[in-house]
Structures are given as structure tokens and as C-alpha cells.
Amino acid sequence: MGLPTMHGLDLQAGRQLYSLLLPKPSDFPSSIELGSEHFVCFIAWNAATESVECISNLLKVLMRSGASYFVCWGENCERVHDIADEIEALPDGPFARDDDSCIMTTWHDNDTLE
């Protein structure tokens, strides 16, 4: 458990597609390697009962692993999005970046999963 499953190539975007199903956020590995310096991370999560620390810990690992665009969906997804923005704004954030880089985040609480 804890290793991403590759599903193939999204021909339109030219990206490999991976998924990772976790029973709880603490099951996330301490780092992941997807063969790319940066990746988009779609988080489908009911984070309503999760602490700020729990959400922050998961987001920091993802950022250190190369997540540069977070798409947040599910119960309390705006909160996950806001915490990602707060982490990204820290001067001593979990990743090295130059002045031109940024982490993009979106939240979609009114959209269906489809």
C-alpha cells in the first residue's frame, strides 16, 4: 500500500496518470517519485474531520515531491485549498523555488466528481 498506480498516458495533455487510494492521510508515503519534476495533484477527500496539521503534513509531502497544481474536491475542499495556499506562502516553505514559480490551487465543492 502507499505506491501510486500508473494508469497510462493522457494523450491530450501528454501526462502519465496515476492514482493512490489511502484509508487515511497518514498512510501516504514520506515521498513519491513519478518521473517528473512537477505534477498536477487531484485530491478527492472528505477532510471535514481532519486537523490542520494532518492536512498540512500531507500537502507538504506532495509539494516536496513536486506537486505544483492542486485540484481539491470533496467535503471541506476549500479548507484544503486554503491550507495549501498558506503553506505555499511561507518563506521557508517545504520546497525550493525561484521568484517566478508558484503553486496553483483550485477547489470544487459544487462540482460533481464526473
Side-chain angles (χ1 to χ4, degrees), residues 18-29:
Y18 295 85
S19 67
L20 183 59
L21 178 63
L22 300 172
K24 57 187 185 284
S26 61
D27 290 339
F28 195 82

Side-chain angles (χ1 to χ4, degrees), residues 45-98:
W45 183 15
N46 179 350
T49 61
E50 301 296 342
S51 69
V52 171
E53 180 182 19
C54 173
I55 296 168
S56 295
N57 288 340
L58 176 64
L59 294 172
K60 287 176 184 177
V61 170
L62 287 164
M63 287 179 187
R64 281 192 299 268
S65 297
S68 56
Y69 186 177
F70 289 91
V71 180
C72 305
W73 180 88
E75 185 81 19
N76 240 8
C77 63
E78 182 179 5
R79 184 167 158 247
V80 174
H81 160 275
D82 290 347
I83 292 169
D85 285 349
E86 290 171 9
I87 293 168
E88 196 270 337
L90 293 172
D92 59 343
F95 56 96
R97 65 178 192 261
D98 60 37

